[in-house]
């Protein structure tokens, strides 16, 4: 699904050249649950932005679901991002003056789906995150955990193959964080590839696979059997 | 997607109401001022005879003595009666007309109505065909009537109504300056704007009500109005033949530019002939200008109207520059939302269009308000002491023009902010939000 070979990212200014990623090679298969860890400034967010087609890499090859993304223009990248990727952000990034229905509707609008199809998907997504009864509420009327669940509903409404989550529990208390993680695990159990960037070792421990990035270089982290979460087939959905 | 963008625009405009109102007011004032002055300019620079203005030519000759001759100087604007009648007889153009303006006392045959003066035009038969005068009854007089000085008249329906209390008056007798004229035609209340065929009188006046053959007007000694220029002391009647005074206008209709060139050659040879006989004292100096060229040459649109238009357009530009700044502020404040939309699949193009639709919506509302301001501005113009004041009305093309200008101006103002908006880097916004 996500295939990076020798991917590099260099930020250049007149004075300085910063290597955010150096020949990063990584392959993530359908259905995996991967945690990306690493110290601040190691390149985790750059990796996520490139994986999510929010930034272009400067070297190497990145294939997303078989498509070499470097050749794509902005329109094609946007379409691919819309169809294949769902985003969950640390600060939720809901649009404050849209109600839940309209927030979840945003990615579907750009896909050009019919009104009926959109409505069905929105209702189903909100139902999956347990907020079907609050479609007309606005983000400010919800708790942080609920807002993140709306963000997850928005991310999955279009049935993406890949869910990219950047510190999704970073702004939540432990109870809400647990709920959000359970939701992500459930989605993974149902077949969605989840890639989560986190600082939290407890969160990372819940992933099937840990990739550690240091100085822009990625490596799989060996873990003891006790830290390994059950595989998708064995996982039990939690609502 | 367009309706979605409209919905987003409406939400966004409601969100920052003060900023929105400020932009709408800026555009409305710019549009209101511009449309007021543009409407006045549009009315004043109107083509008075669409479809034929390129084929009608105003003729000028130089009949003066050699004394005071300066090569290259513009010839006299009007013609002597002798030259007008000679050119009319020669009939070298497709159509030709000589004329002068006048006024005459009309004696109504209705009880209780006192005699009054009516503005008139003493002219020849082709006047009506050349200038597309709309008849509602009867017909023009003939060339034979011109020659014989037949006592006939063509009148406007307004005059017919005033004098007879009816418009079906062909065949009835109109008493003018104590003479009986038979009404042979009634025309609609015709008012070419500007009054191109004779700019010596009111350029934007209401036009004439009474039309009489030129020869008849001379036989009956009907009074004339307008300028009269003489270069020698005329002996006796300055309106007689062979008098060194110009007071008639002469127009020709020529269907092609080749015919116009031939007619110009004819005017030169005519002038040479007059020079040879000693009637003219200067070398041939002729002009042949079509309606558009003639109006341009005469500068019929007052300079202050042009100046006001430029000032208003400058004001619109200032309003637009302000709107650009306000839109930039508004769109840049929404960088976070733009970043989210980009992450969720919006292309730069989608964002650009979304923001332009928002700018266009502001323009549309600003245009509506601007239309009201333009209406007020034109109402103020109509109360000015100018001969064109009553013409300052917003017609359908200008009404449509208001919205086109408002939306085009706001889209133009929205281009830079929308472009900046769509260049927002989503990665940075998503992290910093």
């Amino acid at each position: 699904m996500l295939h990076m070979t020798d991917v590099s990212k260099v930020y250049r200014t007149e004075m300085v050249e910063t290597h955010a990623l150096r020949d990063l090679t990584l392959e993530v298969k359908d259905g995996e649950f991967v945690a990306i860890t690493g110290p601040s400034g190691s390149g985790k967010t750059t990796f996520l932005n490139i994986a999510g087609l929010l930034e272009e890499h400067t070297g190497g090859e990145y294939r997303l679901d078989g498509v070499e993304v470097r050749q794509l223009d902005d329109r094609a990248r946007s379409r691919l991002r819309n169809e294949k990727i769902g985003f969950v952000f640390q600060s939720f990034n809901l649009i404050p003056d849209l109600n839940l229905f309209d927030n979840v509707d945003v990615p579907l609008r750009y896909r050009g789906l019919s009104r009926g199809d959109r409505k069905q998907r929105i209702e189903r997504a909100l139902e999956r995150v347990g907020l079907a009864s609050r479609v007309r509420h606005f983000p400010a009327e919800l708790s942080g955990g609920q807002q993140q669940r709306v963000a997850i509903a928005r991310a999955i409404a279009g049935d993406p193959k890949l869910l990219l989550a950047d510190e999704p529990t970073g702004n939540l208390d432990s109870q809400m964080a647990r709920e959000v993680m359970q939701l992500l695990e459930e989605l993974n159990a149902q077949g969605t590839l989840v890639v989560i960037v986190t600082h939290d070792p407890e969160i990372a421990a819940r992933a099937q696979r840990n990739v550690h990035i240091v100085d822009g270089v990625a490596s799989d982290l060996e873990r003891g059997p006790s830290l390994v979460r059950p595989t998708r087939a064995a996982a039990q959905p939690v609502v | 997607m367009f309706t979605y963008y409209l919905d987003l625009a409406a939400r966004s405009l409601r969100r920052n109401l003060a900023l929105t109102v400020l932009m709408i007011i800026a555009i409305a004032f710019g549009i209101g001022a511009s449309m007021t002055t543009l409407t006045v300019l549009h009315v004043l620079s109107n083509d008075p005879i669409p479809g034929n203005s390129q084929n009608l030519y105003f003729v000028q000759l130089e009949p003066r003595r050699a004394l005071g001759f300066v090569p290259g100087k513009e010839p006299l604007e009007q013609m002597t009666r002798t030259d007008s009648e000679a050119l009319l007889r020669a009939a070298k153009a497709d159509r030709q007309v000589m004329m002068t303006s006048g006024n005459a006392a009309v004696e109504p045959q209705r009880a209780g109505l006192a005699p009054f003066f009516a503005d008139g035009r003493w002219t020849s038969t082709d006047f009506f065909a050349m200038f597309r005068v709309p008849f509602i009854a009867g017909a023009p007089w003939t060339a034979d009537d011109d020659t014989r000085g037949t006592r006939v008249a063509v009148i406007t329906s307004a005059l017919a109504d005033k004098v007879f209390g009816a418009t079906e008056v062909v065949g009835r007798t109109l008493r003018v300056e104590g003479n009986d004229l038979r009404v042979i035609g009634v025309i609609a209340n015709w008012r070419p704007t500007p009054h191109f065929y004779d700019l010596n009188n009111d350029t934007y006046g209401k036009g004439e009500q009474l039309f009489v053959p030129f020869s008849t007007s001379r036989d009956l000694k009907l009074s004339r109005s307008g300028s009269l220029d003489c270069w020698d002391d005329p002996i006796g009647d300055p309106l007689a033949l062979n008098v060194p005074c110009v007071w008639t206008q002469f127009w020709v209709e020529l269907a092609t530019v080749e015919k116009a060139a031939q007619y110009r050659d004819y005017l030169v040879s005519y002038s040479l002939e007059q020079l040879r006989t000693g009637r003219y004292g200067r070398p041939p100096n002729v002009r042949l200008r079509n309606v558009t060229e003639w109006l341009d040459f005469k500068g019929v649109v007052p300079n202050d109207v042009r100046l006001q238009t430029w000032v208003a357009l400058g004001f619109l530009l200032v309003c637009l520059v302000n709107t650009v700044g306000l839109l930039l502020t508004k769109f840049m404040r929404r960088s976070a939302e733009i970043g989210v939309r980009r992450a969720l699949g919006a292309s730069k193009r989608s964002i650009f269009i979304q923001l332009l639709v928002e700018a266009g919506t502001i323009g549309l509302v600003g245009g509506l308000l601007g239309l009201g301001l333009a209406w007020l501005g034109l109402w103020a113009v109509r109360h000015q002491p100018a001969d064109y004041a009553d013409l300052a009305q917003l017609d359908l093309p200008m009404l449509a023009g208001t919205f086109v200008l408002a939306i085009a101006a706001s889209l133009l103002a929205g281009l830079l902010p929308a472009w900046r908006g769509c260049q927002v880097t989503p990665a940075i916004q998503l992290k910093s939000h």
Side-chain angles (χ1 to χ4, degrees), chain B residues 348-363:
Chain B
K348 285 181 182 175
R349 185 171 170 271
S350 305
I351 298 293
F352 184 75
I353 294 173
Q354 180 195 325
L355 298 180
L356 264 194
V357 168
E358 191 169 326
T361 308
I362 291 168

Side-chain angles (χ1 to χ4, degrees), chain B residues 230-300:
Chain B
C230 302
W231 52 93
D232 286 337
D233 286 336
I235 301 162
D237 181 6
L239 306 183
L241 275 166
N242 301 315
V243 170
C245 298
V246 289
W247 55 280
T248 65
Q249 298 96 40
F250 198 82
W251 285 83
V252 291
E253 182 172 345
L254 301 158
T256 63
V257 287
E258 290 77 21
K259 283 186 175 181
Q262 286 167 10
Y263 197 80
R264 191 174 281 106
D265 291 344
Y266 163 70
L267 292 176
V268 170
S269 64
Y270 174 83
S271 298
L272 279 171
E273 180 61 26
Q274 300 306 311
L275 186 65
R276 262 196 299 277
T277 63
R279 223 186 117 237
Y280 284 13
R282 301 181 184 186
N285 186 11
V286 305
R287 296 287 185 280
L288 198 59
R289 292 185 173 97
N290 66 29
V291 175
T292 311
E293 292 165 341
W294 178 236
L295 294 177
D296 282 347
F297 172 72
K298 289 294 286 178
V300 292

Side-chain angles (χ1 to χ4, degrees), chain B residues 92-377:
Chain B
K92 297 286 185 187
D94 295 334
R95 287 187 178 117
Q96 43 266 305
V97 63
M98 69 174 292
M99 65 178 95
T100 189
S101 60
N103 53 67
V106 175
E107 299 160 38
Q109 290 157 9
R110 291 169 70 193
L113 195 61
F116 60 90
F117 277 98
D119 287 332
R121 185 137 299 261
W122 322 143
T123 183
S124 54
T125 178
D126 281 349
F127 178 90
F128 303 97
M130 284 173 69
F131 300 145
R132 309 284 194 265
V133 182
F135 273 80
I136 55 176
W141 59 80
T142 63
D144 191 43
D145 291 327
D146 276 332
T147 311
R148 292 192 291 119
T150 312
R151 302 200 171 186
V152 290
V154 169
I155 61 175
T156 61
S157 58
L159 183 64
D161 200 38
K162 187 172 181 180
V163 174
F164 301 106
T167 53
E168 293 169 6
V169 296
V170 172
R172 294 181 70 172
T173 300
L174 181 72
R175 196 147 180 83
V176 177
E177 301 276 358
N179 305 287
D180 288 337
L181 301 179
R182 184 165 50 88
V183 177
I184 58 164
V186 178
I187 63 169
N189 293 320
W190 178 61
R191 184 186 182 183
T193 306
H195 191 254
F196 68 98
Y197 54 80
D198 185 357
L199 298 171
N200 290 303
N201 293 294
D202 290 346
T203 306
Y204 297 99
K206 288 192 166 55
E208 302 86 0
Q209 296 172 286
L210 173 65
F211 300 84
V212 172
F214 184 86
S215 50
T216 308
S217 77
R218 297 328 329 130
D219 289 349
L220 301 178
K221 301 216 177 303
L222 297 180
S223 67
R224 63 164 300 281
S225 56
S227 67
L228 174 113
D229 295 321
C230 302
W231 52 93
D232 286 337
D233 286 336
I235 301 162
D237 181 6
L239 306 183
L241 275 166
N242 301 315
V243 170
C245 298
V246 289
W247 55 280
T248 65
Q249 298 96 40
F250 198 82
W251 285 83
V252 291
E253 182 172 345
L254 301 158
T256 63
V257 287
E258 290 77 21
K259 283 186 175 181
Q262 286 167 10
Y263 197 80
R264 191 174 281 106
D265 291 344
Y266 163 70
L267 292 176
V268 170
S269 64
Y270 174 83
S271 298
L272 279 171
E273 180 61 26
Q274 300 306 311
L275 186 65
R276 262 196 299 277
T277 63
R279 223 186 117 237
Y280 284 13
R282 301 181 184 186
N285 186 11
V286 305
R287 296 287 185 280
L288 198 59
R289 292 185 173 97
N290 66 29
V291 175
T292 311
E293 292 165 341
W294 178 236
L295 294 177
D296 282 347
F297 172 72
K298 289 294 286 178
V300 292
V301 179
N303 282 337
D304 59 336
V305 171
R306 289 187 193 279
L307 184 66
Q308 283 163 13
T309 305
W310 283 113
V311 169
L313 288 175
F315 178 61
L316 175 63
L317 188 67
V318 171
C319 293
L320 286 184
V321 170
N322 277 309
T323 307
V324 170
L326 294 170
L327 280 174
L328 259 177
T329 308
K330 189 172 171 62
F331 292 166
M332 287 300 104
R333 269 190 199 170
R334 284 162 56 197
S335 295
E337 182 197 325
I338 292 170
V340 173
R341 288 186 178 279
R342 292 277 287 126
L344 298 180
S347 62
K348 285 181 182 175
R349 185 171 170 271
S350 305
I351 298 293
F352 184 75
I353 294 173
Q354 180 195 325
L355 298 180
L356 264 194
V357 168
E358 191 169 326
T361 308
I362 291 168
L364 188 68
V365 180
L368 270 172
L369 192 60
L371 187 67
L373 292 174
W375 185 86
L376 269 178

Side-chain angles (χ1 to χ4, degrees), chain A residues 29-174:
Chain A
K29 294 188 174 63
D30 285 348
E32 280 194 284
F33 193 118
V34 182
I36 308 289
T37 58
S40 292
S42 58
K44 298 190 301 294
T45 300
T46 304
F47 162 77
L48 198 80
N49 288 338
I50 290 171
L53 308 180
L54 297 175
E55 276 191 73
E56 291 182 39
H57 52 294
T58 45
E61 185 187 87
Y62 171 30
R63 301 181 80 82
L64 178 65
D65 203 21
V67 180
E68 165 55 73
V69 301
R70 203 167 182 187
Q71 313 300 326
L72 303 178
D73 62 12
D74 177 70
R75 231 173 146 179
R77 286 172 74 88
S78 301
R79 195 181 306 123
L80 191 65
R81 186 163 61 234
N82 178 268
E83 289 173 0
K84 305 285 183 192
I85 305 171
F87 285 97
V88 180
F89 307 101
Q90 180 177 354
S91 48
F92 326 134
N93 282 321
L94 297 176
I95 299 173
D97 57 346
L98 298 184
N99 61 28
L100 303 198
F101 187 95
D102 291 334
N103 261 293
V104 179
D105 191 25
V106 172
L108 306 180
R109 286 280 187 171
Y110 294 113
R111 200 180 289 188
L113 300 175
S114 70
R115 190 177 185 162
D117 194 4
R118 290 198 329 266
K119 185 170 184 289
Q120 201 176 21
R121 283 169 180 262
I122 294 164
E123 287 171 353
R124 196 174 60 205
L126 284 170
E127 203 169 319
R128 282 176 79 178
V129 301
L131 290 168
S133 61
R134 310 191 73 171
V135 288
R136 299 297 159 199
H137 284 67
F138 285 84
E141 297 167 348
L142 305 179
S143 68
Q146 286 173 323
Q147 287 193 43
Q148 194 60 297
R149 280 155 68 178
V150 177
I152 292 171
R154 183 177 64 183
I156 63 172
D159 292 328
K161 283 188 165 181
L162 169 62
L163 200 62
L164 292 176
D166 188 5
E167 303 277 9
T169 58
N171 283 1
L172 303 176
D173 62 33
S174 55

